[in-house]
Amino acid sequence: MQGNEKLIVGLDIGTTKITAVVGEMLENEINVIGVGSHPSTGLRKGTVVNIESTVASIKKAVDEAELMAGCDISSVYVGIAGNHIKGLDSHGIIAIKGREITAQDVERVIDAARAVAIPMDREILHVIPQEFIVDDMESIQNPVGMTAIRLEAKIHIVTGAVSSARNIVKCCNKANLEVCGIALESLASGEAVLTDEEKELGCLIADMGGGTTDLALFKNNNLKFIYNLTLGGHNLTNDISIGLRTPLPEAEKIKLKHGTCIPQNARNGETIEVPAVGGRSPKKLSKGILAEILEPRVEEIFSLLKKELFSHGLENSFPAGFVLTGGSVVLDGITETAESVFGVPVRIGEPNKIGGLKDIVRNPAYATGVGLVIFGSSASCQMDLKDTVSQDGTGIFNRMKQWFKNII
């Protein structure tokens, strides 16, 4: 590796799998040069419940990525999810007094809008400007240079539990990694799989992981709405395990190999072999039984997402359709089921804004990891991984420790 190469690592700490993606920054593109993944056992529904198990999984995923990329990883951008994530809208206004609006004015009005009461146990993760209002002119995206009497800003604030952010940072630190930034996983996934046209017109994205399904609405190139549902691929696996009376590991294999949520696709007499529990002999069952188990659970997940979305009056806010991504969208017929519930076009989203090892990461399961690399490439604290630690062990480690002091 050249000494001046800029490398960024995205670390997706999921409920069922931890993934590390190493991206190399070029002038007009990000090349993926390393990928590592390892099963996760220390999280439940997106939240860390076992520090040591999570640290061990992080180390193994990072080691694999280091081996593939041929570099030492010291710093990462990590994702955060879970039902503790909340979004709220806010509004701020400042006086301009008839002069031109400057970039400093934009910062001031955003600061005024974010000055809302946040409980002590919550931390602001993202402040996303939605639009600016210059006097009576609405829907202004960039007011700098305009003459005005007053300037208003509408923003969307994403908050999360301080304890969850602290535990993620602690796990990374125990794995000898420094955290350069924390990003909402559904926001990162949207950056990786949505097109500019979809984000402008209005598009839903659901990141279906093992423990949670994270819903996000993008419109006018901004994040408008977020919701976390604590149902995911693990619930499907558990349903198969109970319905077919088979161990969880075998249920996961059956889901990945034979899973379908459309009974009509399994009515050809095809059978599957199902291992039994307690040393009993395996049994052969119709594939249609598997579809009858999975169909109501998948419909339930999409119906709950639709109910939450419609309760906020957003039923007409996604004319560009619905994009499914994440490791749990591998089921046959899942797009058809989503279309029947939402009544809009649905597609599977794969990372498409990168080069390098794109054949490996062009998979819905890598959407968050690639999105975190994209997030890191646009963040202010880009770093060269070969220079993250000086010889005396200081450098960015101490700077990031100070940055996270308020949540650690």
Side-chain angles (χ1 to χ4, degrees):
M1 312 294 287
Q2 298 295 321
N4 59 356
E5 286 176 339
K6 295 291 184 179
L7 303 180
I8 294 176
V9 182
L11 186 65
D12 176 13
I13 304 177
T15 302
T16 56
K17 185 176 67 174
I18 292 178
T19 303
V21 178
V22 184
E24 172 191 358
M25 288 187 59
L26 303 179
E27 289 185 4
N28 300 314
E29 189 179 39
I30 298 174
N31 276 352
V32 174
I33 62 173
V35 178
S37 64
H38 192 270
S40 171
T41 58
L43 286 90
R44 183 176 299 129
K45 299 187 181 301
T47 303
V48 176
V49 294
N50 188 313
I51 295 284
E52 297 305 321
S53 296
T54 303
V55 169
S57 297
I58 290 174
K59 286 181 177 179
K60 291 176 180 177
V62 169
D63 287 346
E64 186 178 332
E66 286 180 333
L67 186 62
M68 185 180 293
C71 70
D72 293 327
I73 296 175
S74 304
S75 304
V76 295
Y77 290 86
V78 298
I80 189 170
N83 60 358
H84 63 93
I85 301 293
K86 305 294 180 185
L88 64 113
D89 294 322
S90 185
H91 178 268
I93 181 171
I94 63 170
I96 301 298
K97 300 179 181 179
R99 57 176 175 81
E100 284 191 1
I101 298 171
T102 65
Q104 289 74 25
D105 293 324
V106 173
E107 291 180 10
R108 283 200 301 126
V109 74
I110 291 176
D111 286 340
R114 65 180 291 170
V116 296
I118 302 293
M120 291 295 293
D121 62 343
R122 302 195 66 77
E123 180 80 8
I124 294 178
L125 300 175
H126 299 285
V127 175
I128 304 171
Q130 302 293 302
E131 66 170 333
F132 295 95
I133 303 173
V134 178
D135 293 339
D136 293 324
M137 293 183 292
E138 299 184 350
S139 302
I140 305 296
Q141 296 300 310
N142 184 7
V144 175
M146 300 178 70
T147 302
I149 300 298
R150 70 180 185 277
L151 175 65
E152 300 175 59
K154 294 182 178 180
I155 66 173
H156 189 71
I157 301 174
V158 179
T159 68
V162 170
S163 59
S164 294
R166 178 188 62 198
N167 287 332
I168 288 175
V169 173
K170 184 177 293 185
C171 289
C172 291
N173 289 343
K174 284 181 172 288
N176 299 317
L177 299 170
E178 284 295 317
V179 177
C180 281
I182 298 179
L184 180 65
E185 289 189 358
S186 55
L187 179 60
S189 298
E191 290 298 320
V193 305
L194 296 183
T195 66
D196 293 338
E197 292 80 8
E198 286 173 330
K199 289 193 291 185
E200 174 64 31
L201 187 59
C203 185
L204 278 177
I205 179 172
D207 188 341
M208 298 184 67
T212 63
T213 297
D214 301 311
L215 184 71
L217 171 64
F218 288 82
K219 192 176 181 66
N220 298 327
N221 285 318
N222 287 317
L223 179 70
K224 295 290 186 180
F225 174 79
I226 57 172
Y227 174 64
N228 177 274
L229 179 66
T230 53
L231 292 174
H234 183 73
N235 298 92
L236 301 176
T237 302
N238 192 59
D239 289 348
I240 295 173
S241 177
I242 294 173
L244 301 185
R245 296 184 177 89
T246 189
L248 276 172
E250 300 299 332
E252 179 70 16
K253 294 177 183 177
I254 292 172
K255 181 184 74 173
L256 295 176
K257 187 175 181 180
H258 302 288
T260 178
C261 48
I262 299 183
Q264 293 86 340
N265 292 357
R267 289 177 178 170
N268 55 2
E270 183 180 354
T271 61
I272 56 177
E273 185 174 282
V274 181
V277 295
R280 298 179 178 88
S281 300
K283 51 186 179 293
K284 289 187 178 292
L285 296 174
S286 168
K287 190 176 178 180
I289 296 177
L290 179 61
E292 290 172 1
I293 292 172
L294 292 175
E295 182 187 34
R297 177 67 82 177
V298 173
E299 285 185 346
E300 178 195 19
I301 290 174
F302 289 135
S303 296
L304 290 172
L305 295 178
K306 178 181 177 180
K307 179 181 178 181
E308 183 68 22
L309 196 70
F310 281 34
S311 70
H312 287 80
L314 300 171
E315 57 270 21
N316 298 316
S317 299
F318 44 100
F322 192 9
V323 176
L324 300 176
T325 193
S328 296
V329 298
V330 295
L331 290 180
D332 173 55
I334 195 168
T335 55
E336 291 86 344
T337 304
E339 285 178 353
S340 68
V341 173
F342 280 88
V344 296
V346 180
R347 70 175 179 89
I348 300 296
E350 301 173 344
N352 56 18
K353 299 179 181 179
I354 39 83
L357 303 175
K358 54 186 178 182
D359 291 337
I360 296 177
V361 298
R362 190 165 287 169
N363 183 311
Y366 291 107
T368 299
V370 172
L372 289 168
V373 172
I374 296 173
F375 167 78
S377 70
S378 62
S380 59
C381 51
Q382 296 173 4
M383 76 288 185
D384 184 338
L385 292 187
K386 292 183 176 291
D387 296 329
T388 51
V389 187
S390 58
Q391 292 182 353
D392 62 352
T394 59
I396 195 170
F397 279 14
N398 288 338
R399 293 200 300 274
M400 298 316 301
K401 189 181 297 183
Q402 180 64 30
W403 192 44
F404 282 94
K405 183 178 179 181
N406 62 329
I407 64 172
I408 299 178

